[in-house]
Amino acid sequence: MKILLTGATGYIGKRLLPLLIEQGHDIVCCVRDKNRFYAPAELIDKITVVEVDFLNQETMSNIPEDIDAAYYLIHSMSGSATNFDELESDSALNFVERVNETTVKQVIYLSGIINDSSLSKHLSSRKKVEEILNSGTFATTTLRAGIIVGSGSASFDIIRDLVNKLPVMVTPKWLNTRCQPIAIPDVLEFLSKSLLNPATYNQSFDIGGPDILTYKEMLMGFAEAKHLKRWIFTVPVMTPKLSSYWLYFVTSTSYRLASALVSSMKVEVVCNDTRINELLDVTPMTYEQALARALIKVDEDKVASSWKDSLVSGRFSKNMSAYLKVPKKDCFIDRRKMEIIDRDFTINRIWSIGGDTGWYYGDWLWSLRGFIDKLYGGVGSRRGRTNRHDIHSGDALDFWRVLYANKEEGKLILFAEMKLPGEAWLEFKIIHNTLYQAATFRPRGVWGKLYWYSVLPFHGFIFKGMLAKLIK
């Protein structure tokens, strides 16, 4: 069968893709920017990649007509906090209009659990999208999930950050809200087993694990799994805005995502029924089992995908392709080069840069720059990286975004997602036996020029020291 997979570069899409290929399907991956798409070599020949921006009707024709089913995994929380619901509705309307013209029999949509009359803006938007998809000429299957627990999920990372960093927590009262977490492997099993299954057509199902827990109990469960002593006290005085800042500064999440999560966490998300478990013969794992599995994946550096690599974690407002060519005109450039001793050693050092490894020289200054960025509402440096020794185009790397990564070519290009009065690139490339390193800054007005000259004194030893450490 030919399956259309939207959101193929997202947290769920990246994990669902190999499962669908394993089942023998032909997959058409819908991406907004091909430069952000990566698939292992053993999969790349079995998929077709098309560029589609669901907010741009002119690109909708790139979706082929001869598809049998589609997964709708599009979310627009990376849009502004005031209009992401409008973006989600527009995307869904454009999708339905185009897919109605194809041979598609079923569309599967992953939504959020909706069982409260006073829904958050985030959950209301998901409900609206569900209604739009149900208006199509195809059969719609909606799977409604609450908190998804897995290595690289936003929920897991937030829980991990809070528990690891705060022995004592004074928390908002919404930590007493109940939810029904579900493990990422179970989400994928529900998604794959629903595919072209007539028993799921034109229905909505709640999916969740066997445990109904408060967010406080989830935090304490993580602490127990890590053998940590933690004390949590809830207070009624934290406003949603204060709660959002609390999550933003303590965890690796963006403020935009923190706000959406706080708004949703005030609403109870518990499954109304679990009939789909028997229908699809799925037995979801417990929260304790989900945590154990996720922790193993993190320890073994086998995180298949991370929410941090989606654009929601950064500040990109257009395709990465627009930044791929590093400019030279009207730019300040710090260029350095050094002869390499061992190419493999240098490549591995470059490909391991950032995250827990650090930047090899002046790490405290890199951390300080990330902290300052966080104070001004930027991404900071807490995102780290998904894998310790492997990076691909589109990945987040501290306060950078990977634009280009080619090990054979020996070339890596990073774009700064921190708040700056301009745009910045950091480039590494090996030509013959020489490593070339360039920090490029395109200033925006007078403030941009003043910024460059203010940090220029630090460049001399930071970039020189980093270059030397990449060599030996």
Side-chain angles (χ1 to χ4, degrees), residues 364-407:
W364 71 273
L365 285 170
W366 289 95
S367 298
L368 177 62
R369 183 63 186 89
F371 177 72
I372 294 172
D373 188 54
K374 199 84 169 174
L375 287 178
Y376 282 88
V379 297
S381 57
R382 289 192 183 132
R383 291 186 306 181
R385 46 184 293 161
T386 300
N387 297 100
R388 288 191 285 270
H389 306 293
D390 201 15
I391 48 177
H392 305 284
S393 298
D395 286 0
L397 201 167
D398 292 344
F399 43 61
W400 302 89
R401 179 73 60 173
V402 181
L403 296 183
Y404 185 83
N406 189 316
K407 258 190 173 181

CSV table of all heavy atoms in Angstrom, one decimal, residues 364-407:
chain,number,residue,atom,x,y,z
A,364,TRP,N,32.7,27.4,30.1
A,364,TRP,CA,31.9,28.2,31.0
A,364,TRP,C,31.4,29.5,30.3
A,364,TRP,O,30.3,30.0,30.6
A,364,TRP,CB,32.8,28.6,32.2
A,364,TRP,CG,33.9,29.6,31.9
A,364,TRP,CD1,35.1,29.3,31.5
A,364,TRP,CD2,33.8,31.0,32.1
A,364,TRP,NE1,35.9,30.4,31.4
A,364,TRP,CE2,35.1,31.5,31.7
A,364,TRP,CE3,32.8,31.9,32.4
A,364,TRP,CZ2,35.4,32.9,31.7
A,364,TRP,CZ3,33.1,33.3,32.4
A,364,TRP,CH2,34.4,33.7,32.1
A,365,LEU,N,32.1,29.9,29.3
A,365,LEU,CA,31.7,31.1,28.5
A,365,LEU,C,30.5,30.7,27.6
A,365,LEU,O,29.6,31.5,27.4
A,365,LEU,CB,32.8,31.7,27.7
A,365,LEU,CG,33.9,32.5,28.5
A,365,LEU,CD1,35.1,32.8,27.6
A,365,LEU,CD2,33.3,33.8,29.0
A,366,TRP,N,30.6,29.5,27.0
A,366,TRP,CA,29.5,29.0,26.2
A,366,TRP,C,28.2,28.9,27.1
A,366,TRP,O,27.1,29.3,26.7
A,366,TRP,CB,29.8,27.7,25.6
A,366,TRP,CG,30.8,27.7,24.5
A,366,TRP,CD1,32.2,27.5,24.6
A,366,TRP,CD2,30.6,28.0,23.1
A,366,TRP,NE1,32.8,27.7,23.4
A,366,TRP,CE2,31.9,28.0,22.4
A,366,TRP,CE3,29.5,28.3,22.3
A,366,TRP,CZ2,32.0,28.2,21.1
A,366,TRP,CZ3,29.6,28.5,21.0
A,366,TRP,CH2,30.9,28.5,20.4
A,367,SER,N,28.4,28.4,28.3
A,367,SER,CA,27.3,28.2,29.2
A,367,SER,C,26.7,29.6,29.6
A,367,SER,O,25.5,29.7,29.7
A,367,SER,CB,27.7,27.4,30.5
A,367,SER,OG,28.1,26.1,30.1
A,368,LEU,N,27.6,30.5,29.9
A,368,LEU,CA,27.1,31.9,30.2
A,368,LEU,C,26.3,32.5,29.1
A,368,LEU,O,25.3,33.1,29.3
A,368,LEU,CB,28.4,32.7,30.6
A,368,LEU,CG,28.1,34.2,30.9
A,368,LEU,CD1,27.2,34.3,32.2
A,368,LEU,CD2,29.4,35.0,31.1
A,369,ARG,N,26.8,32.3,27.9
A,369,ARG,CA,26.1,32.9,26.7
A,369,ARG,C,24.7,32.2,26.6
A,369,ARG,O,23.7,32.9,26.3
A,369,ARG,CB,26.9,32.6,25.4
A,369,ARG,CG,26.2,33.2,24.2
A,369,ARG,CD,26.2,34.7,24.3
A,369,ARG,NE,25.4,35.3,23.2
A,369,ARG,CZ,24.1,35.5,23.2
A,369,ARG,NH1,23.4,35.2,24.2
A,369,ARG,NH2,23.5,36.1,22.2
A,370,GLY,N,24.6,30.9,26.9
A,370,GLY,CA,23.3,30.3,26.8
A,370,GLY,C,22.4,30.8,27.9
A,370,GLY,O,21.2,31.0,27.7
A,371,PHE,N,23.0,31.0,29.1
A,371,PHE,CA,22.2,31.5,30.2
A,371,PHE,C,21.6,32.9,29.9
A,371,PHE,O,20.5,33.2,30.2
A,371,PHE,CB,23.0,31.6,31.5
A,371,PHE,CG,22.3,32.1,32.7
A,371,PHE,CD1,21.3,31.4,33.3
A,371,PHE,CD2,22.6,33.4,33.2
A,371,PHE,CE1,20.6,32.0,34.4
A,371,PHE,CE2,22.0,34.0,34.3
A,371,PHE,CZ,20.9,33.2,34.9
A,372,ILE,N,22.5,33.8,29.4
A,372,ILE,CA,22.0,35.1,29.0
A,372,ILE,C,20.9,35.1,27.9
A,372,ILE,O,19.9,35.8,28.0
A,372,ILE,CB,23.2,35.9,28.4
A,372,ILE,CG1,24.2,36.2,29.6
A,372,ILE,CG2,22.8,37.3,27.8
A,372,ILE,CD1,25.5,36.8,29.1
A,373,ASP,N,21.1,34.1,27.0
A,373,ASP,CA,20.1,34.0,26.0
A,373,ASP,C,18.7,33.6,26.6
A,373,ASP,O,17.7,34.1,26.2
A,373,ASP,CB,20.5,32.9,24.9
A,373,ASP,CG,19.6,32.8,23.7
A,373,ASP,OD1,19.3,33.9,23.1
A,373,ASP,OD2,19.1,31.8,23.5
A,374,LYS,N,18.8,32.7,27.6
A,374,LYS,CA,17.6,32.2,28.3
A,374,LYS,C,16.9,33.4,29.0
A,374,LYS,O,15.7,33.5,29.0
A,374,LYS,CB,17.9,31.1,29.3
A,374,LYS,CG,16.8,30.3,29.7
A,374,LYS,CD,16.5,29.1,28.8
A,374,LYS,CE,15.5,28.1,29.4
A,374,LYS,NZ,15.1,27.1,28.4
A,375,LEU,N,17.7,34.3,29.6
A,375,LEU,CA,17.1,35.4,30.3
A,375,LEU,C,16.4,36.3,29.4
A,375,LEU,O,15.4,37.0,29.8
A,375,LEU,CB,18.3,36.2,31.0
A,375,LEU,CG,18.9,35.6,32.2
A,375,LEU,CD1,20.0,36.5,32.7
A,375,LEU,CD2,17.9,35.4,33.3
A,376,TYR,N,16.8,36.4,28.1
A,376,TYR,CA,16.2,37.3,27.1
A,376,TYR,C,15.1,36.5,26.3
A,376,TYR,O,14.6,37.0,25.3
A,376,TYR,CB,17.2,37.9,26.2
A,376,TYR,CG,17.9,39.0,26.8
A,376,TYR,CD1,19.1,38.8,27.6
A,376,TYR,CD2,17.4,40.3,26.7
A,376,TYR,CE1,19.8,39.9,28.2
A,376,TYR,CE2,18.1,41.4,27.3
A,376,TYR,CZ,19.3,41.2,28.0
A,376,TYR,OH,19.9,42.2,28.6
A,377,GLY,N,14.7,35.3,26.8
A,377,GLY,CA,13.6,34.6,26.1
A,377,GLY,C,14.1,33.7,25.0
A,377,GLY,O,13.2,33.3,24.2
A,378,GLY,N,15.4,33.5,24.9
A,378,GLY,CA,15.9,32.6,23.8
A,378,GLY,C,15.8,31.2,24.2
A,378,GLY,O,15.3,30.8,25.2
A,379,VAL,N,16.4,30.3,23.3
A,379,VAL,CA,16.4,28.9,23.5
A,379,VAL,C,17.4,28.4,24.6
A,379,VAL,O,17.3,27.4,25.2
A,379,VAL,CB,16.7,28.1,22.2
A,379,VAL,CG1,15.6,28.4,21.2
A,379,VAL,CG2,18.1,28.5,21.7
A,380,GLY,N,18.4,29.3,24.9
A,380,GLY,CA,19.5,28.9,25.8
A,380,GLY,C,20.2,27.7,25.3
A,380,GLY,O,20.1,27.3,24.1
A,381,SER,N,21.0,27.1,26.1
A,381,SER,CA,21.9,25.9,25.7
A,381,SER,C,21.4,24.6,26.3
A,381,SER,O,22.1,23.6,26.2
A,381,SER,CB,23.3,26.2,26.1
A,381,SER,OG,23.5,26.4,27.4
A,382,ARG,N,20.3,24.6,27.0
A,382,ARG,CA,19.8,23.4,27.7
A,382,ARG,C,19.3,22.3,26.8
A,382,ARG,O,19.0,21.2,27.2
A,382,ARG,CB,18.8,23.7,28.7
A,382,ARG,CG,19.4,24.5,29.9
A,382,ARG,CD,18.4,24.5,31.1
A,382,ARG,NE,18.9,25.3,32.2
A,382,ARG,CZ,18.2,26.2,32.8
A,382,ARG,NH1,17.0,26.5,32.4
A,382,ARG,NH2,18.7,26.9,33.8
A,383,ARG,N,19.0,22.6,25.5
A,383,ARG,CA,18.5,21.6,24.6
A,383,ARG,C,19.5,20.5,24.4
A,383,ARG,O,19.1,19.4,24.2
A,383,ARG,CB,18.1,22.2,23.2
A,383,ARG,CG,17.0,23.2,23.2
A,383,ARG,CD,16.6,23.6,21.8
A,383,ARG,NE,17.7,24.2,21.1
A,383,ARG,CZ,17.7,24.7,19.9
A,383,ARG,NH1,16.5,24.6,19.2
A,383,ARG,NH2,18.7,25.2,19.3
A,384,GLY,N,20.8,20.8,24.5
A,384,GLY,CA,21.8,19.8,24.2
A,384,GLY,C,21.7,19.3,22.8
A,384,GLY,O,21.5,20.0,21.9
A,385,ARG,N,21.8,17.9,22.7
A,385,ARG,CA,21.7,17.3,21.4
A,385,ARG,C,21.1,15.9,21.7
A,385,ARG,O,21.2,15.3,22.7
A,385,ARG,CB,23.1,17.2,20.8
A,385,ARG,CG,24.2,16.7,21.7
A,385,ARG,CD,25.5,16.7,21.0
A,385,ARG,NE,25.6,15.7,19.9
A,385,ARG,CZ,26.4,15.7,18.9
A,385,ARG,NH1,27.3,16.7,18.8
A,385,ARG,NH2,26.4,14.8,18.0
A,386,THR,N,20.4,15.4,20.6
A,386,THR,CA,19.7,14.1,20.7
A,386,THR,C,20.6,12.9,21.0
A,386,THR,O,20.4,12.1,21.8
A,386,THR,CB,18.8,13.9,19.5
A,386,THR,OG1,17.9,14.9,19.4
A,386,THR,CG2,18.1,12.6,19.6
A,387,ASN,N,21.7,12.9,20.2
A,387,ASN,CA,22.7,11.8,20.3
A,387,ASN,C,24.1,12.4,20.5
A,387,ASN,O,24.4,13.4,20.0
A,387,ASN,CB,22.7,10.9,19.0
A,387,ASN,CG,21.4,10.2,18.8
A,387,ASN,OD1,20.6,10.7,18.0
A,387,ASN,ND2,21.2,9.1,19.5
A,388,ARG,N,24.9,11.7,21.3
A,388,ARG,CA,26.2,12.2,21.7
A,388,ARG,C,27.2,12.3,20.6
A,388,ARG,O,28.1,13.1,20.6
A,388,ARG,CB,26.7,11.4,22.9
A,388,ARG,CG,26.0,11.6,24.2
A,388,ARG,CD,26.8,11.0,25.3
A,388,ARG,NE,26.6,9.6,25.4
A,388,ARG,CZ,25.7,8.9,26.0
A,388,ARG,NH1,24.7,9.6,26.7
A,388,ARG,NH2,25.6,7.6,26.1
A,389,HIS,N,27.1,11.3,19.6
A,389,HIS,CA,28.1,11.3,18.6
A,389,HIS,C,27.6,11.3,17.1
A,389,HIS,O,28.4,11.1,16.2
A,389,HIS,CB,29.0,10.0,18.8
A,389,HIS,CG,29.5,9.9,20.1
A,389,HIS,ND1,30.5,10.7,20.6
A,389,HIS,CD2,29.3,9.0,21.1
A,389,HIS,CE1,30.8,10.4,21.9
A,389,HIS,NE2,30.1,9.3,22.2
A,390,ASP,N,26.3,11.6,17.0
A,390,ASP,CA,25.7,11.5,15.7
A,390,ASP,C,24.8,12.7,15.5
A,390,ASP,O,24.0,13.0,16.3
A,390,ASP,CB,24.9,10.2,15.5
A,390,ASP,CG,24.7,9.8,14.1
A,390,ASP,OD1,25.4,10.4,13.2
A,390,ASP,OD2,23.8,9.0,13.8
A,391,ILE,N,25.0,13.4,14.4
A,391,ILE,CA,24.1,14.6,14.1
A,391,ILE,C,23.8,14.6,12.6
A,391,ILE,O,24.5,14.1,11.8
A,391,ILE,CB,24.8,15.9,14.5
A,391,ILE,CG1,26.2,16.0,13.9
A,391,ILE,CG2,24.7,16.2,15.9
A,391,ILE,CD1,26.9,17.3,14.2
A,392,HIS,N,22.6,15.2,12.4
A,392,HIS,CA,22.1,15.3,11.0
A,392,HIS,C,21.5,16.6,10.8
A,392,HIS,O,21.1,17.3,11.7
A,392,HIS,CB,21.1,14.2,10.7
A,392,HIS,CG,21.6,12.8,11.0
A,392,HIS,ND1,22.4,12.1,10.2
A,392,HIS,CD2,21.3,11.9,12.1
A,392,HIS,CE1,22.7,10.9,10.7
A,392,HIS,NE2,22.0,10.8,11.8
A,393,SER,N,21.3,17.0,9.5
A,393,SER,CA,20.6,18.2,9.2
A,393,SER,C,19.3,18.3,9.8
A,393,SER,O,18.5,17.4,9.8
A,393,SER,CB,20.4,18.3,7.6
A,393,SER,OG,21.7,18.3,7.0
A,394,GLY,N,19.0,19.5,10.4
A,394,GLY,CA,17.8,19.7,11.1
A,394,GLY,C,17.8,19.5,12.6
A,394,GLY,O,16.9,19.9,13.3
A,395,ASP,N,18.9,18.8,13.1
A,395,ASP,CA,19.0,18.6,14.6
A,395,ASP,C,19.3,19.9,15.3
A,395,ASP,O,19.9,20.8,14.8
A,395,ASP,CB,20.1,17.6,14.8
A,395,ASP,CG,19.8,16.2,14.5
A,395,ASP,OD1,18.7,15.9,14.0
A,395,ASP,OD2,20.7,15.3,14.6
A,396,ALA,N,18.8,19.9,16.6
A,396,ALA,CA,19.1,21.0,17.5
A,396,ALA,C,20.4,20.6,18.2
A,396,ALA,O,20.7,19.5,18.5
A,396,ALA,CB,18.0,21.2,18.5
A,397,LEU,N,21.3,21.7,18.4
A,397,LEU,CA,22.6,21.4,19.1
A,397,LEU,C,22.8,22.6,20.0
A,397,LEU,O,23.3,23.7,19.5
A,397,LEU,CB,23.7,21.3,18.0
A,397,LEU,CG,25.0,20.6,18.4
A,397,LEU,CD1,25.8,20.2,17.2
A,397,LEU,CD2,25.8,21.4,19.3
A,398,ASP,N,22.5,22.5,21.2
A,398,ASP,CA,22.5,23.6,22.2
A,398,ASP,C,21.7,24.8,21.6
A,398,ASP,O,20.5,24.6,21.3
A,398,ASP,CB,24.0,24.0,22.5
A,398,ASP,CG,24.7,23.0,23.3
A,398,ASP,OD1,24.0,22.1,23.9
A,398,ASP,OD2,25.9,23.0,23.4
A,399,PHE,N,22.3,26.0,21.4
A,399,PHE,CA,21.5,27.1,20.8
A,399,PHE,C,21.8,27.2,19.3
A,399,PHE,O,21.6,28.3,18.7
A,399,PHE,CB,21.8,28.4,21.5
A,399,PHE,CG,23.2,28.7,21.9
A,399,PHE,CD1,24.2,28.8,20.9
A,399,PHE,CD2,23.6,28.9,23.2
A,399,PHE,CE1,25.5,29.1,21.2
A,399,PHE,CE2,24.9,29.2,23.6
A,399,PHE,CZ,25.9,29.3,22.6
A,400,TRP,N,22.2,26.1,18.7
A,400,TRP,CA,22.4,26.1,17.2
A,400,TRP,C,21.4,25.1,16.6
A,400,TRP,O,20.9,24.3,17.2
A,400,TRP,CB,23.8,25.7,16.9
A,400,TRP,CG,24.9,26.5,17.5
A,400,TRP,CD1,25.5,26.3,18.7
A,400,TRP,CD2,25.5,27.6,16.9
A,400,TRP,NE1,26.5,27.3,18.9
A,400,TRP,CE2,26.5,28.1,17.8
A,400,TRP,CE3,25.4,28.3,15.7
A,400,TRP,CZ2,27.3,29.2,17.6
A,400,TRP,CZ3,26.2,29.4,15.4
A,400,TRP,CH2,27.1,29.8,16.3
A,401,ARG,N,21.3,25.3,15.3
A,401,ARG,CA,20.5,24.3,14.5
A,401,ARG,C,21.5,23.8,13.4
A,401,ARG,O,22.2,24.6,12.8
A,401,ARG,CB,19.3,25.0,13.8
A,401,ARG,CG,18.5,24.1,12.9
A,401,ARG,CD,17.6,23.1,13.7
A,401,ARG,NE,16.7,23.7,14.6
A,401,ARG,CZ,15.7,23.1,15.3
A,401,ARG,NH1,15.6,21.8,15.1
A,401,ARG,NH2,14.9,23.7,16.1
A,402,VAL,N,21.5,22.5,13.2
A,402,VAL,CA,22.4,21.9,12.2
A,402,VAL,C,21.7,22.1,10.8
A,402,VAL,O,20.6,21.6,10.5
A,402,VAL,CB,22.6,20.4,12.4
A,402,VAL,CG1,23.5,19.8,11.4
A,402,VAL,CG2,23.2,20.2,13.8
A,403,LEU,N,22.4,22.9,10.0
A,403,LEU,CA,21.9,23.1,8.6
A,403,LEU,C,22.4,22.1,7.6
A,403,LEU,O,21.8,21.7,6.7
A,403,LEU,CB,22.4,24.5,8.1
A,403,LEU,CG,21.9,25.8,8.9
A,403,LEU,CD1,22.4,27.0,8.2
A,403,LEU,CD2,20.3,25.8,8.9
A,404,TYR,N,23.7,21.7,7.9
A,404,TYR,CA,24.3,20.7,6.9
A,404,TYR,C,25.3,19.9,7.7
A,404,TYR,O,26.1,20.4,8.5
A,404,TYR,CB,25.0,21.5,5.8
A,404,TYR,CG,25.6,20.6,4.7
A,404,TYR,CD1,24.8,20.2,3.7
A,404,TYR,CD2,27.0,20.3,4.7
A,404,TYR,CE1,25.3,19.4,2.7
A,404,TYR,CE2,27.5,19.5,3.7
A,404,TYR,CZ,26.7,19.1,2.7
A,404,TYR,OH,27.2,18.3,1.7
A,405,ALA,N,25.3,18.6,7.5
A,405,ALA,CA,26.2,17.7,8.1
A,405,ALA,C,26.6,16.5,7.2
A,405,ALA,O,25.7,15.7,6.9
A,405,ALA,CB,25.6,17.1,9.4
A,406,ASN,N,27.8,16.5,6.7
A,406,ASN,CA,28.2,15.4,5.8
A,406,ASN,C,29.6,15.0,6.2
A,406,ASN,O,30.6,15.7,6.1
A,406,ASN,CB,28.3,16.0,4.4
A,406,ASN,CG,28.5,14.9,3.4
A,406,ASN,OD1,29.4,14.0,3.5
A,406,ASN,ND2,27.8,14.9,2.3
A,407,LYS,N,29.7,13.8,6.9
A,407,LYS,CA,30.9,13.3,7.4
A,407,LYS,C,31.9,13.0,6.3
A,407,LYS,O,33.1,13.2,6.5
A,407,LYS,CB,30.6,12.0,8.2
A,407,LYS,CG,30.6,12.2,9.7
A,407,LYS,CD,30.6,10.8,10.4
A,407,LYS,CE,30.7,11.1,11.9
A,407,LYS,NZ,30.7,9.8,12.7
